[in-house]
């Protein structure tokens, strides 16, 4: 990596965070509150990541897995602060019970606005939206600076956090990354909202009736078979529901890092969404006047390129609820195996135990010198 001259104070930060999704905002705000001068870089026009762009409408993993219906926070801190703020704004409801899981339903637009509001209130935090990472520089042992699309001079920092979701910062830095083969990746999702739905069509039993009608439509040739894994869920807003279509993802040819592949899937998702909307109007009670209100800006990529951490959590760790001395938080979500046409496959940990997330699993396997560290923070879904 190329070295640059010493920076001036305007271009020097204690921490640079790449990616303003849920993980990036949490990391940047937490750093700023510790008195660290922090820069948060985001390629999109607003914070929110997959929630804002792909319309992810639920926050999972906030609560411990349990057989009863009593929500118990898995972690405190910023995660629950954010969830409470969403509820106070009327932008979230729940948690809603799904088998052994408690999930908070929320409105993506409000989620993005809250991210923006929280970032603006932190005096030590600078948010740079519509900003791409172009180049990373330093020595062989650590990162010193990044160059962005909106600043003429390199931006220097003492620490860098990659929360891009596809390890973009780490990849530019030459850190060790890995990508699962296309056919083994989690299927991407196309999520959209439908409004003008009758109130009695959004109750607890409506999702099951929706699924039955979709299966019937496919069996009689009225619907594309690729809609088999479509799922409907209620929303915070009366008369509005969310529909998630798990896309076939082109099998072994699927690549979440290939723009052409993502474009094809985006086009397919939109086509399937309007086909389903037309079918629901004539086939499902309460949907006679329904219409699509919001389409996603991009498909929901669940899995992409990853930074190789100094420790990698294993399936065995999650199943047994492993504990670590350097734990920074607890993971309270089951293992989601790759989707198939029938929907998600889930493996719960034994005794519903939460698994610790150790600090070393969030640090790049590359050996950075001194205080120069590259932390990798995965997306929260």
């Amino acid at each position: 990596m190329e070295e640059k001259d010493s920076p001036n104070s305007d271009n020097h930060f204690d921490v640079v965070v790449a990616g303003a999704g849920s993980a990036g905002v949490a990391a940047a705000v937490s750093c700023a509150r510790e008195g660290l001068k922090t820069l948060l870089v985001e390629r999109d026009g607003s914070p929110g990541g997959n929630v804002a762009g792909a319309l992810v409408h639920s926050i999972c993993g906030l609560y411990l897995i349990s057989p009863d219906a009593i929500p118990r926070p898995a972690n405190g801190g910023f995660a629950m602060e954010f969830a409470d703020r969403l509820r106070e704004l009327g932008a979230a409801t729940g948690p809603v019970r799904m088998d052994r899981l408690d999930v908070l339903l929320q409105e993506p637009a409000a989620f993005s606005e809250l991210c923006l509001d929280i970032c603006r209130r932190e005096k030590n935090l600078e948010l740079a939206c519509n900003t791409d990472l172009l180049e990373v520089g330093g020595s062989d042992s650590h990162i010193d600076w990044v160059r962005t699309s909106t600043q003429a001079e390199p931006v220097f920092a003492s620490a860098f956090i990659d929360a891009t979701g596809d390890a973009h910062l780490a990849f530019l830095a030459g850190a060790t990354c890995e990508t699962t083969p296309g056919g083994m990746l989690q299927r991407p999702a196309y999520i959209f909202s439908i409004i003008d739905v009758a109130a009695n069509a959004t109750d607890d039993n409506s999702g099951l009736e929706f699924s039955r009608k979709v299966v019937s439509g496919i069996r009689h040739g009225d619907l594309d078979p690729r809609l088999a894994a479509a799922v409907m869920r209620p929303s915070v807003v009366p008369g509005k529901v969310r529909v998630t279509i798990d896309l076939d993802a082109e099998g072994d040819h699927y690549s979440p890092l290939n723009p052409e592949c993502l474009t094809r899937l985006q086009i397919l998702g939109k086509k399937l969404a309007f086909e389903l909307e037309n079918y629901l109007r004539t086939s499902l009670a309460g949907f006679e006047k329904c219409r699509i209100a919001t389409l996603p800006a991009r498909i929901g990529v669940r899995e992409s390129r990853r930074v190789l951490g100094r420790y990698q959590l294993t399936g065995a760790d999650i199943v047994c609820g492993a504990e670590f001395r350097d734990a920074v938080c607890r993971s309270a979500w089951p293992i989601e195996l790759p989707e198939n046409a029938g929907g998600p496959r889930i493996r719960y940990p034994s005794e519903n135990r939460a698994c610790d997330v150790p600090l070393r699993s969030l640090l790049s396997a590359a050996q950075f010198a001194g205080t120069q560290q590259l932390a990798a923070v995965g997306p929260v879904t």
Side-chain angles (χ1 to χ4, degrees):
M1 291 186 285
E2 183 184 356
E3 295 189 28
K4 295 287 183 184
D5 294 334
S6 179
N8 60 52
S9 59
D10 291 338
N11 258 24
H12 187 277
F13 292 83
D14 295 309
V15 181
V16 170
V17 180
S22 52
V25 168
V29 170
S30 297
C31 288
R33 289 178 178 178
E34 291 296 318
L36 300 173
K37 184 182 178 185
T38 305
L39 174 66
L40 176 57
V41 178
E42 170 56 43
R43 66 179 179 178
D44 292 335
S46 60
N50 245 9
V51 172
L55 303 183
V56 176
H57 49 279
S58 59
I59 304 178
C60 304
L62 287 174
Y63 304 95
L64 295 173
I65 304 170
S66 66
D68 56 41
I70 303 174
R72 300 175 181 86
N75 300 284
F78 184 80
M80 293 310 299
E81 173 193 333
F82 194 94
D84 290 341
R85 287 281 302 277
L86 277 175
R87 274 191 290 252
E88 290 168 4
L89 293 170
T93 185
V96 175
R97 191 70 177 177
M98 297 180 181
D99 194 13
R100 285 182 263 173
L101 305 171
D102 294 297
V103 176
L104 191 70
L105 300 181
Q106 53 84 28
E107 283 295 305
F111 184 103
S112 179
E113 283 299 313
L114 180 56
C115 286
L116 185 59
D117 180 64
I118 289 176
C119 288
R120 283 174 173 168
R121 293 174 183 271
E122 295 299 328
K123 64 179 182 179
N124 294 318
L125 176 58
E126 180 179 329
L127 173 63
C129 290
N130 295 303
T131 300
D132 290 318
L133 285 177
L134 303 179
E135 188 181 3
V136 176
S139 70
D140 291 337
S141 59
H142 61 266
I143 298 173
D144 284 331
W145 55 267
V146 296
R147 189 184 296 277
T148 73
S149 60
T150 56
Q151 292 172 298
E153 297 297 324
V155 177
F156 288 76
S158 300
F160 296 82
I161 298 175
D162 190 334
T164 60
D166 58 6
H168 185 53
L169 171 60
F171 178 76
L172 290 176
T176 305
C177 300
E178 62 180 8
T179 305
T180 301
M184 298 175 63
L185 285 168
Q186 293 278 354
R187 290 155 60 108
Y190 190 86
I191 306 171
F192 60 99
S193 62
I194 293 178
I195 60 173
D196 295 339
V197 178
N200 61 353
T202 62
D203 59 22
D204 293 340
N205 297 319
S206 59
L208 193 57
E209 181 61 22
F210 170 90
S211 297
R212 281 198 288 259
K213 284 294 183 182
V214 169
V215 170
S216 175
I218 293 172
R219 183 181 298 121
H220 291 90
D222 298 324
L223 279 179
D224 191 310
R226 289 173 291 190
L227 283 164
V231 175
M232 184 190 77
R233 294 189 178 93
S235 77
V236 179
V237 179
K240 178 163 76 172
V241 296
R242 306 276 185 189
V243 177
T244 299
I245 304 172
D246 286 320
L247 300 175
D248 188 22
E250 306 183 333
D252 292 340
H253 301 290
Y254 170 52
S255 172
L257 300 171
N258 184 336
E260 293 181 359
C261 175
L262 297 181
T263 299
R264 289 194 297 270
L265 291 171
Q266 184 80 5
I267 293 170
L268 171 62
K270 185 175 182 180
K271 171 184 175 296
L272 294 174
F274 280 103
E275 179 179 336
L276 183 58
E277 175 203 42
N278 291 330
Y279 173 77
L280 292 175
R281 283 203 205 101
T282 58
S283 304
L284 188 57
F287 284 75
E288 293 85 358
K289 299 179 180 180
C290 78
R291 59 189 175 91
I292 291 177
T294 313
L295 294 171
R298 59 176 180 264
I299 64 170
V301 173
R302 291 185 169 105
E303 184 180 5
S304 180
R305 181 172 53 207
R306 300 183 294 272
V307 185
L308 186 65
R310 297 182 184 180
Y311 178 81
Q312 290 182 289
L313 282 170
T314 66
D317 288 334
I318 297 171
V319 168
C320 75
E323 298 180 351
F324 299 93
R325 290 184 178 180
D326 60 338
V328 293
C329 65
R330 292 192 293 179
S331 172
W333 197 252
I335 298 174
E336 292 193 40
L337 301 170
E339 313 281 334
N340 57 32
R345 295 179 295 150
I346 291 177
R347 183 182 180 189
Y348 285 98
S350 59
E351 301 179 5
N352 300 318
R353 294 183 60 181
C355 173
D356 286 350
V357 178
L359 175 62
R360 64 205 130 114
S361 70
L362 301 178
L363 295 176
S364 169
Q367 296 298 311
F368 294 100
T371 59
Q372 312 286 345
Q373 303 288 348
L374 172 65
V377 182
V380 177
T381 60

